[in-house]
């Protein structure tokens, strides 16, 4: 006997609940929708539609992967961020809603139709850079990543979103090779988790997401030590930056940017009211 959409959803919820997962209801819905090629409206509007044997087999595969704590984003191969949909895999950090704080800050201050340039250091899937470019049609961007595999994901996403002509993607070690005074805006979500905290993370993150995108050395701050002076070097005078931080890193990261000569340094909170983004500027030229 084949399952219908409603039975599939209810069964999936039960299994994921039994596995002790944090969000069994939403996960079950997303996995049933993808396996059965159904929309959210189908589950409500057409609940007795039968799954084909292939769809049932696919759902079984998805559920068993989820029970082994593979993230939903990896099972589906995509994740929504800001207003765009991105392809993701285990070579990139899955975009988090917290990171939208960076995008929000940029869109508040950077003009709609002027031609300005943005550099995203550690571009990963392209979440930050491509969200910004999708909302600012005259802006141009450069994304740098040390991982060739991550750049392949970003390249794919740029093409799918019709943004390839305004994005360059380069393999590199942070700002190595980039010229002084080159960008109006620099953004980054660098790895910032302290090494001994990594083992305490949820299995979805610890076992499935790239360490390279997470680990920030003994105190989590290694990359900001490199990035603060380098971001100030590659920014144009008067240019601005915004970098994501861990919830307890405000004081340390603000101090690193002030020591590098930044002005207007401030920390923005995410939707959960945690310190999440340090932003600031490079001094304009004296006139
Ligand atoms: N916010 C991510 C997490 O907690 C970490 C992101 C990062 O290191 N840049 O999993």
């Amino acid at each position: 006997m084949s399952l219908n959409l409603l039975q599939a959803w209810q069964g999936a919820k039960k299994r994921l609940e039994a596995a002790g997962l944090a969000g069994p209801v939403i996960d079950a819905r997303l996995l049933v929708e993808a396996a059965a090629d159904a929309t959210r409206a189908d589950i409500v509007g057409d609940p007795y539609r039968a799954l084909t044997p292939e769809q049932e087999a696919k759902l079984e595969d998805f559920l068993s992967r989820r029970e082994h704590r593979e993230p939903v984003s990896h099972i589906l191969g995509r994740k929504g961020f800001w207003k765009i949909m991105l392809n993701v895999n285990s070579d990139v950090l899955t975009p988090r809603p917290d990171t939208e704080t960076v995008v929000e800050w940029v869109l508040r201050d950077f003009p709609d139709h002027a031609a300005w340039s943005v550099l995203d250091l550690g571009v990963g899937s392209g979440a930050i850079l491509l969200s910004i470019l999708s909302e600012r049609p005259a802006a141009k961007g450069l994304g740098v990543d040390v991982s060739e595999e991550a750049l392949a994901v970003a390249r794919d996403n740029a093409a799918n979103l019709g943004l390839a002509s305004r994005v360059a993607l380069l393999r590199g070690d942070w700002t190595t090779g980039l010229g002084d005074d080159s960008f109006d805006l620099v953004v980054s979500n660098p790895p910032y988790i302290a090494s001994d905290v990594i083992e305490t993370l949820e299995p979805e993150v610890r076992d499935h997401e790239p360490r390279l995108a997470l680990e920030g050395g003994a105190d989590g701050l290694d990359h900001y030590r490199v990035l603060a002076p380098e971001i100030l070097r590659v920014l144009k005078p008067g240019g601005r930056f915004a970098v994501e931080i861990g919830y307890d890193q405000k004081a340390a990261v603000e101090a690193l940017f002030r020591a590098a000569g930044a002005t207007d340094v401030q920390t923005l909170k995410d939707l959960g009211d945690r310190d999440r983004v340090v932003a600031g500027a490079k001094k304009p030229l004296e006139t």
Side-chain angles (χ1 to χ4, degrees), residues 2-244:
S2 65
L3 286 177
N4 64 39
L5 280 175
L6 185 61
Q7 291 165 333
W9 186 34
Q10 284 168 342
K13 271 192 287 201
K14 277 211 192 85
R15 266 179 75 171
L16 298 183
E17 235 158 40
L21 298 178
V25 179
I26 294 175
D27 287 6
R29 181 171 60 74
L30 293 170
L31 296 177
V32 169
E33 282 170 14
D37 201 14
T39 64
R40 183 173 192 175
D42 291 335
I43 296 186
V44 185
D46 193 12
Y48 304 114
R49 183 170 110 197
L51 274 69
T52 65
E54 293 73 28
Q55 291 172 338
E56 275 191 43
K58 201 169 187 183
L59 180 60
E60 175 53 39
D61 171 58
F62 286 179
L63 290 172
S64 99
R65 286 162 69 185
R66 189 69 195 99
E67 283 169 337
H68 289 93
R69 306 298 291 263
E70 190 171 338
V72 173
S73 60
H74 289 184
I75 299 173
L76 303 183
R78 59 174 191 266
K79 173 80 184 179
F81 177 83
W82 193 250
K83 297 177 194 168
I84 60 179
M85 186 56 78
L86 296 153
N87 287 344
V88 298
N89 60 26
S90 57
D91 294 320
V92 297
L93 199 73
T94 291
R96 318 307 205 225
D98 298 339
T99 305
E100 294 177 354
T101 310
V102 175
V103 179
E104 221 180 330
W105 175 83
V106 170
L107 296 182
R108 223 167 29 224
D109 282 359
F110 279 78
D112 250 4
H113 293 290
W116 45 270
S117 60
V118 45
L119 167 67
D120 185 341
L121 294 167
V123 67
S125 66
I128 303 175
L129 183 63
L130 299 175
S131 307
I132 293 171
L133 293 178
S134 70
E135 302 246 13
R136 290 293 180 267
K140 285 209 166 85
L142 171 63
V144 173
D145 209 288
V146 73
S147 157
E148 200 62 73
E149 291 78 16
L151 290 170
V153 176
R155 215 167 272 129
D156 221 30
N157 284 325
N160 291 339
L161 293 162
L163 296 170
S165 64
R166 290 192 285 127
V167 192
L169 293 161
L170 277 186
R171 181 166 185 279
D173 183 10
W174 296 131
T175 51
T176 305
L178 302 181
D180 298 356
D181 305 335
S182 302
F183 300 93
D184 297 293
L185 169 67
V186 178
V187 292
S188 182
N189 176 14
Y192 56 67
I193 312 262
S195 304
D196 62 5
V197 173
I198 298 267
E199 289 312 316
T200 70
L201 299 175
E202 293 292 316
E204 282 83 351
V205 181
R206 184 191 64 214
D207 302 335
H208 294 275
E209 297 212 78
R211 290 262 156 136
L212 192 63
L214 292 166
E215 193 166 351
D219 61 359
L221 298 169
D222 279 4
H223 298 290
Y224 302 106
R225 292 190 181 93
V226 176
L227 286 172
E230 278 299 296
I231 287 175
L232 272 291
R233 178 180 73 77
V234 300
L235 272 178
K236 291 180 188 170
R240 279 177 284 177
F241 65 88
V243 299
E244 182 167 322

